[in-house]
Amino acid sequence: MRTTFAIVTLALGMTAAADAQSRPDLTGLWIGPTADISVVLLPGEEVSLTPYGAERYRKVDQANSPAYKCLPYGPTRGLQSTNPFQIIQTPDLIALITEHIDYRLIYMDGRGHPADILDYPEWMGHSIGRWDGDALVVDTIGMREETWLDTAGFEHSAKLHIRSASRRPAPTPFA
């Protein structure tokens, strides 16, 4: 099963300078627009669940939310919570620091995923990225199953494989 979804972010603050490679500079403080992935899907997209996943979602108990157990949010929920996150960008690494006890590293130096990442999953998974024009393309595997995709309770298995492409929005003038 391949699930595709977009994470749209609103910039709270950002720098104007581009990095040495003339790529968009994502450095700054960001916040996601919603905590539920189903409302940020592109037209025609939908959340696709296996019968087992649909049954689990129907029976989700918010009292079992990883957030209520002080567990890290995971790579998608960490960008969609009501808390801001910080991005620090260098040519070889993009770091996302979330307010909820975790960080995510996106390796931009051409490496692949570790061969044993599925044997030793990480809270935020293992992410490798590249630029496709002005779009940051990120491939993430190896996320711990205890994380949820969003606050609505979408769970995932150890087989989750996230592929995303993001572009920096135009700066928003503050009045």
Side-chain angles (χ1 to χ4, degrees), residues 5 26 75 79 94 96 104-108 113 124-132 135-141 161-166:
F5 60 91
L26 304 176
L79 302 182
I94 296 176
L96 293 90
R104 180 179 181 195
L105 301 176
I106 302 171
Y107 297 97
M108 303 292 292
H113 294 296
M124 291 289 199
H126 186 270
S127 298
I128 54 176
R130 63 179 176 79
W131 290 104
D132 183 6
L136 174 62
V137 178
V138 180
D139 186 89
T140 305
I141 63 171
H161 190 156
I162 300 173
R163 294 179 188 101
S164 64
S166 303

Side-chain angles (χ1 to χ4, degrees), residues 85-127:
F85 58 93
Q86 179 83 29
I87 297 179
I88 301 168
Q89 180 177 334
T90 70
D92 292 335
L93 182 73
I94 296 176
L96 293 90
I97 303 168
T98 66
E99 188 172 317
H100 191 76
I101 65 171
D102 212 355
Y103 61 92
R104 180 179 181 195
L105 301 176
I106 302 171
Y107 297 97
M108 303 292 292
D109 58 4
R111 73 179 70 191
H113 294 296
D116 63 350
I117 188 64
L118 297 181
D119 296 329
Y120 304 99
E122 302 171 3
W123 288 106
M124 291 289 199
H126 186 270
S127 298

Side-chain angles (χ1 to χ4, degrees), residues 14 33 54 59 116:
M14 60 187 84
K59 294 180 179 179
D116 63 350

Side-chain angles (χ1 to χ4, degrees), residues 10-14 168-175:
L10 171 66
L12 290 178
M14 60 187 84
R168 178 179 148 179
T172 303
F174 292 98

Side-chain angles (χ1 to χ4, degrees), residues 7-150:
I7 298 174
V8 180
T9 56
L10 171 66
L12 290 178
M14 60 187 84
T15 62
D19 69 14
Q21 298 176 357
S22 299
R23 301 294 183 198
D25 186 3
L26 304 176
T27 299
L29 186 62
W30 298 78
I31 192 164
T34 181
D36 179 353
I37 63 171
S38 67
V39 299
V40 293
L41 296 173
L42 298 175
E45 289 186 325
E46 62 183 37
V47 175
S48 175
L49 300 171
T50 64
Y52 175 75
E55 181 65 21
R56 297 266 314 181
Y57 183 67
R58 277 192 294 277
K59 294 180 179 179
V60 72
D61 182 354
Q62 289 292 330
N64 291 327
S65 169
Y68 297 144
K69 298 175 184 177
C70 293
L71 297 175
Y73 279 179
T76 58
R77 187 174 180 186
L79 302 182
Q80 295 173 314
S81 76
T82 57
N83 301 324
F85 58 93
Q86 179 83 29
I87 297 179
I88 301 168
Q89 180 177 334
T90 70
D92 292 335
L93 182 73
I94 296 176
L96 293 90
I97 303 168
T98 66
E99 188 172 317
H100 191 76
I101 65 171
D102 212 355
Y103 61 92
R104 180 179 181 195
L105 301 176
I106 302 171
Y107 297 97
M108 303 292 292
D109 58 4
R111 73 179 70 191
H113 294 296
D116 63 350
I117 188 64
L118 297 181
D119 296 329
Y120 304 99
E122 302 171 3
W123 288 106
M124 291 289 199
H126 186 270
S127 298
I128 54 176
R130 63 179 176 79
W131 290 104
D132 183 6
D134 66 345
L136 174 62
V137 178
V138 180
D139 186 89
T140 305
I141 63 171
M143 286 130 309
R144 291 180 58 140
E145 291 181 333
E146 296 96 330
T147 64
W148 284 2
L149 296 176
D150 67 357

